Amino acid sequence: MMGKTVVGSISARFAELRRKLGVMQEFLVQCGGIGEDHRFFTEFTGRGDDISPSFHLLSIPEGTETLAIVLRDESHPIFGSMTHWLIWNLPVDPDIAANIAKGTRSGRGNARQGVAYGWHRYRGPKPPKGTTHRYVFTVYAVNGELDLGGMTTLRRLRKAMRGKVLGIGRVEGLFE
């Protein structure tokens, strides 16, 4: 019963996010760091190498000029949800390679990384031992570059994207 409640609340939050950003189109996101059982491979977590996974995107909306990715822990016991990673201005490509470099500039075109649990870097799942958390990658198809600095938070990123997001996709994974 608890799992259904969490999934329902995540779906409701996703619908609300789409509404706020004015997004109508969804696209499919596949993540190389999450297995068929919907669990993260250890390599892409804080208990492994803590490197960003690869992504494969299907049906990227026409007119997309850049991509943004956000990773959030949607079952954080204190905050309810917690941002682990945000990156924007990624070049449009249906295949995003793993292991994006640390730093405000990622070495992938004009891509920038902001402030989250991972400051200017990917920080993968690492919940307290004995607990399972649900993590959600959200990928945004944006119709241009975003002029944001390295101290950007999720709130500022979403504000800058308002009216510029052509499509949105997500993939969920679990980690204990």
Side-chain angles (χ1 to χ4, degrees), residues 48-105:
D49 296 330
D50 212 11
I51 60 172
S52 62
S54 63
F55 296 92
H56 180 69
L57 313 177
L58 300 165
S59 303
I60 299 170
E62 191 173 320
T64 300
E65 294 180 32
T66 64
L67 300 167
I69 303 174
V70 173
L71 171 61
R72 292 183 47 93
D73 176 348
E74 294 293 351
S75 48
H76 194 279
I78 297 171
F79 305 115
S81 63
M82 180 178 180
T83 304
H84 274 245
W85 182 45
L86 52 136
I87 185 168
W88 62 93
N89 290 346
L90 279 163
V92 178
D93 192 323
D95 293 302
I96 300 169
N99 201 14
I100 292 176
K102 300 173 186 174
T104 56
R105 297 206 182 268

Side-chain angles (χ1 to χ4, degrees), residues 11-147:
S11 295
R13 279 185 255 167
F14 185 67
E16 177 63 12
L17 175 62
R18 286 182 57 212
R19 186 192 65 74
K20 281 183 178 178
L21 292 172
V23 176
M24 300 305 291
Q25 186 174 346
E26 288 186 46
F27 57 93
L28 183 62
V29 177
Q30 297 171 334
C31 178
I34 299 172
E36 289 183 23
D37 62 354
H38 303 286
R39 297 197 174 275
F40 272 83
F41 298 122
T42 305
E43 173 183 3
F44 304 102
T45 72
R47 294 203 176 86
D49 296 330
D50 212 11
I51 60 172
S52 62
S54 63
F55 296 92
H56 180 69
L57 313 177
L58 300 165
S59 303
I60 299 170
E62 191 173 320
T64 300
E65 294 180 32
T66 64
L67 300 167
I69 303 174
V70 173
L71 171 61
R72 292 183 47 93
D73 176 348
E74 294 293 351
S75 48
H76 194 279
I78 297 171
F79 305 115
S81 63
M82 180 178 180
T83 304
H84 274 245
W85 182 45
L86 52 136
I87 185 168
W88 62 93
N89 290 346
L90 279 163
V92 178
D93 192 323
D95 293 302
I96 300 169
N99 201 14
I100 292 176
K102 300 173 186 174
T104 56
R105 297 206 182 268
S106 71
R108 310 259 173 125
N110 289 327
R112 305 281 308 247
Q113 298 181 92
V115 177
Y117 177 58
W119 275 59
H120 313 298
R121 65 175 282 210
Y122 172 85
R123 286 292 301 265
K126 190 178 177 183
K129 291 210 182 240
T131 64
T132 300
H133 285 210
R134 181 176 302 278
Y135 297 85
V136 178
F137 285 104
T138 306
V139 181
Y140 302 86
V142 184
N143 69 1
E145 285 199 4
L146 301 172
D147 186 21

